[in-house]
Amino acid sequence: MDITTTISALLTLAVFSFLYGDNPVYKFAERLLVGLAVGYALVINWQQTIIDRLYTPLFIDGRLALVVALVLGLLMFSRFKRSWAWLSGIPLAAMIGAGAGAALPAMLEARIFKQLSATVAVFHDASGAFEMFSAIVLLVGFVTTLGYFYFGVHRSNALAVSSKIGSYFLMIFFGATFGYTVMSRMSILIGRLDFLMRDWLGVIG
Amino acid sequence: MRKFLPISVSFVFGVLMFALWFEDSESRSMLHFTLIDYWQIIFAFGLLVGVVSFISVASRKISRGEEPFYNGVLIFGALLMPTLAMIDGLQPNSYFQWMFENVQAPMQSSVFALLAFFVASAAFRGFRARNAQSIILLLVALIVIIGRAPMGEFVWGGFDELIQWIRDFPSTSAKRAVLIGIGLGSVTTSLRVIFGVERTYLGER
Amino acid sequence: MDSLITILATIVAGLVTFWTARLIHRGRKYHLREIAGIKALEDAVGRAAEMGRPILYTPGYGGDIQRPTTIASMNILSVVAEKTAEYNCELIYPTHDPIIMATAQEVVRESYSRVGKIDRFNPDNIYYVSSSQFGYAAGVEGEIVRKKPASIFLLGTFEAESLILAESGAAVGAVQIAGTDSTIQLAFFLIACDYTLFGEELFAASGYLSGNEATLASVWAQDIMRILCVSFVALGILSALFFPESSWWKL
Amino acid sequence: MSDTQTRRAQKTRRLIFSGVFLSITIGLLLPFQPEVTPSVGTKSMFSFIENIKPGSTILISFDHESASFPEMKPLAIAVVSHLLKRDVKIIAISLFPEGAGLGASLLRRLGEENKKTYGTDFVFLGFKPEPRATILGMGKSFSFVFPFDFYGTKTSDLPIMSADRYSDVVGVITIADGSYPSHWIEYGAAKYELIVLSALAASMVTSYDPYVTSGQLHSILGGLRGAAEYESLLNVDGGGSRAMLAQTAAHIFIVLILIVGNISYLRSRKKKV
C-alpha cells in the first residue's frame, strides 16, 4: 500500500461519496478534476500543436505559409474585446468551411453509398430461405425506420403504419444497445473496485 | 463586411477541401498540407481561448466572493499541470505524467464508474413495460444482458447466435437508417455552410 | 468513376436543397408532422419562470460546431434564450467546446437584444467547463445539484455523460427535455427524461421553433432524398434478384 | 413530489446503489473464473493479426480518454502484446489528448516486456487536434502531421518511420470508447482505402454493426468480455478474464432490478384499475 496508490484510492472514494449526496469532499474532487483536465489539455495542445506544428516550422524552419495560420489563430482572441469580436468569425469560418468541404464527400461515400449498397448486397448474396427471410427483415426495418424520420405530414395511412413499424425496429436497436451499454458501464466500475481491493487494500491477489 | 468576410472564407475553404478529396491519394500537394495545418492550428488556438475564458470566469467569481475556495481549486488545477510540464516535461515518470496517471485518470474513471450505479437506478425507475415499444426494448435488453453475461451460455446455448442475428439484421437495419439520416443531415448542412446560408456560427438565426 | 458518382450526388443534393429553399422562400408551405417534444419545450421555460429557478441548457460532449445537431441545438437555444429573457429567468449554458461557447454567447446575446433585455445578458453564464468528457460531466453535474434548475435541456450530441446528467437532473426534480442524434444515449434519455427528441426530430423541431426558412427547407430536402435512397435500394434489389450479374448498385 | 415520496425514492436509490456495489464486490472476491467462448468479432480480429507478415507495420490509435481506461486497458494490452509477439511494428497515435498519456505509458511498458526497441519496433507519436484533419493529413504523410514524436524526437530520424503513409501499413486498429472510429471509416477508409479494425467499449458495438456488414470495418473486438475472449485465444490470464465473474454478478443484479421494477409497476397499475 504505497502513498501513490493511497492518493488515487482516496480520490476515488471522494468521487464515490457523491452517491450519498453532494458534499464538500466531492465538491473539492470535482473542482480539482475539472481544473487538472483543463490544464492537461492545455499542455498537450501547446506542445504538440502550437510548438510542433506552428512555432518550430514557422520560426525555425521558415515555412512562411504558416503566418496565415498564426494570424487566423490570433484572431480567435478578438472575442475578448466587444468591438473586435466579429473578427473571430473569420477563423471560425475557415474551420467550419474546411470541415463542411471534407464532410460532403466523406458522408456521401462512407455513410450513404456504402450503406445503401450493403442493403442490396444482402439480397444478392442470400442463398436459402432463412437468409432470404433475414434479408427481408433488414429491408423492412431499413425502409420503415427511414419512414419514421419522414417529417412531412403523413397524408397516407401507409406512411403512418410504416413509421409505427419503424419505431419497433428502433426499439430493437435501442434495446440491444442498452444491453451492451450496461455491460460497458459495469466493466468500468469493476475496474475501479478491482483497483481499490487489489492494488490498495490487497484483499484479492 | 462583418458577414461577407467570414462567409467568403468559409466558401473558399469548403470548396478547396471538397475538391482536394478527389485528388490522387499518392500526391502530396502542398495546398492540402497547408489547409490541414490551418485547420488544426486554428483549433488549437480555440482551445487556448477556452482556457483563458475558463480562468477569467473562475477568477471573476472569486473576486465577487462566490465560493473562493472551490474556484481557487479550479484555477490551481488548471495552472498546476503547465507548471509541472515546465519543470520536467512530458517524459515517462515526469511529475506531469505522475499527476495525470495517479490523480486525474483515477478520478475521471471514478466519475465514469458512477454511471454503473445510475444505470441501475434508471433501469429500475424507467424501464417499464408500458406499451408495445417499451416491451420490445425491455425484451431485447434482457436477452443481451443475460446472453452476453460471461455465464449466459449456461442458461441457454443459443444466446450467442440469437444476439448476433439481432445485431446483424433488425438492429443494423434501424441503425443504418439512422446513419443515412444523419449523413443526409450533414450533407445539407455542409452545403448550407459552404454557400453561406447557414450562419448560426456567426450568432445569426 | 467513384469520384464522378460522388460529384453527381453532391449536385443532386445541392439542387434538391436549393429547390426546396426557393419554394419555401416563395411562400410554399411545408407542413411538418406533429412532434411531441416541441410543446414540452415551450412549457419547460414557463415552469422555470414560475418556480423562479434557473434553466440549464447543455449541448453534450460529442458535438462540434459543424455537426447538424449542434447547429439545430443553437437554433433552439436562440428561442429558449428569448423566452428566458422575457421571463427574467436565469439561463446557464456549460459546454465542453470553446468554439461552441463562443457561438452560444453570440446567439444568446442576439436573443436578449431582440427582446430588448441586453442589459440582463451575462456572458459568464455561458461558459467552457473542460474538454475532457468526465471533467465536463462532473462540472455540469455539480451545477445541476447545486443550482437545482427547474428545467434542463439536453439538446445536442451526447456521449456517456448523458445518464450522469439525466440522473442528477431527475434527483433534483427537474423537467428534462433531451434530444440527440447519438443513438446509444437515446436509450438512456428515453428512460430518464420527460421528453426525448430522436435524432432528426431535433432538427425538425429546430426548424419549426425558430421558423428558420433554410432549416425547414433542408428538413424537406432530406425527406426527398430519403425517398431517393429508398428508390435506389428498391431498384437495386430488383436488379440483384432478377439480373444477378448486374453490379451498378455497388457504389 | 411530496416529502415522503422524495425520501422513499432516495431510499430506493441508495438500496439499488448498495446492490450494485455488493454484487460486484462478491464477484471479485470469489476465486473462480468462468470460461468464455470467443465470438465472431473476436475471432476475426485474432485471425487478422495472426496472418500479418512479421516485420510489417500497423497503426494503432488510442481514441479514448482516461475515464474508460478500466475497459480499454485489457483490450489494448491483449491486442498490442499479440502484435508485438508476432513481430509486427507499431506506430501509435491518439486522437484524444488523454489517450496520449495512456498510450505512451502502455506502449513503453509492453515494449520493454517484449524486449522491443523504441523507434525501430514501435513509436508513439502523440496527439493532434481535429480528428478529421489528422486522419486526412496522415493520408498524405505521417511525419507531416507528426513532425515530432510524443517525446520531442524528430520523427524523420526514427527508422520505423520509413512507413509514412497508409499504403505502408497493413491497417489501423482504433481502440475507442466513443464515436471516433467513424472518422477512421469516413475519412481513412473512404478516401485512402485504409483497412480499419476496432477494439471498442461494449456500449459502442451495436452502433458499428452496420459498418461491419457493409465491409467498411473489418472487425469489432468488444468490451471487457471481448478482452477476456481474446486472452483465452492467446492463452494468457489478464484483466478481462479476471473480471468475468464480477461481470456476471452485475448482470444478474440488473436483471433482478428490471424484474422487480416491472412487477411493482404492474401491481401499482392493477391497483389503479
Side-chain angles (χ1 to χ4, degrees), chain D residues 1 19 22 41 53 61 88 90 122 127 130 137 140 158 174 185 206 220 244 249 255 264 270 273:
Chain D
M1 258 197 277
L22 277 178
K53 228 174 50 217
S61 188
V88 181
I90 297 174
F122 68 100
F127 159 82
E130 256 305 322
K140 307 267 129 198
L158 300 167
T174 149
I185 294 167
T206 46
I220 297 177
M244 283 304 101
V255 171
S264 73
K270 249 186 209 151
V273 176

Side-chain angles (χ1 to χ4, degrees), chain B residues 17 20-29 32-34 36-37 39-40 43-44 90-92 97 100-101 104-105 108-109 112 116-121 123-124 127-130 138 142 144-151 153 160 164 167-168 171-172 175-176 179, chain D residues 12-13 16-17 20-21 32 34-37 39 66-68 70 98 101-102 105 128-130 132-134 136-137 139-141 144-145 150-151 164-165 167 186-187 191-192 205 207 209-211 213 225 229 244-245 247-248 251 254-255 257-258 261-262 265 269:
Chain B
M17 281 311 281
L20 286 168
W21 178 271
F22 303 103
E23 148 211 86
D24 177 21
S25 59
E26 288 297 305
S27 103
R28 298 190 166 195
S29 81
H32 209 164
F33 281 149
T34 310
I36 287 171
D37 261 336
W39 188 357
Q40 295 195 298
F43 190 87
L90 315 183
Q91 303 300 323
Q97 281 291 345
F100 171 68
E101 276 169 36
Q104 187 187 340
Q108 301 247 47
S109 39
F112 199 178
F117 298 102
F118 292 159
V119 162
S121 88
F124 181 75
F127 233 131
R128 302 286 159 85
R130 272 186 219 100
L138 188 61
L142 274 175
V144 173
I145 295 173
I146 300 172
R148 287 304 285 167
M151 293 168 86
E153 290 120 86
D160 251 10
Q164 196 62 44
R167 276 173 56 183
D168 285 347
S171 161
T172 286
K175 175 67 187 177
R176 183 167 284 164
L179 273 180
Chain D
T12 326
R13 252 166 85 90
I16 293 172
F17 291 170
V20 174
F21 175 76
F32 166 66
E35 291 278 320
V36 286
T37 22
S39 59
S66 53
S68 50
E98 285 179 15
L102 302 168
S105 58
K128 289 290 175 280
E130 256 305 322
R132 286 159 296 185
T134 307
L136 283 173
K140 307 267 129 198
S141 153
F144 156 74
V145 182
F150 187 63
Y151 308 105
D164 194 39
R165 49 171 85 178
S167 50
E186 279 149 18
Y187 295 85
K191 177 151 170 59
Y192 298 104
V205 164
S207 296
D209 282 334
Y211 290 118
T213 41
R225 170 162 175 166
E229 292 171 1
M244 283 304 101
L245 191 64
Q247 187 86 45
T248 310
H251 284 213
I254 295 289
V255 171
I257 273 193
L258 287 177
N262 273 290
Y265 167 71
R269 217 172 55 165

Side-chain angles (χ1 to χ4, degrees), chain A residues 86 90, chain B residues 1-8:
Chain A
W86 68 276
I90 299 170
Chain B
M1 191 63 183
R2 292 186 173 203
K3 296 284 178 217
F4 175 75
L5 215 56
I7 287 171
S8 19

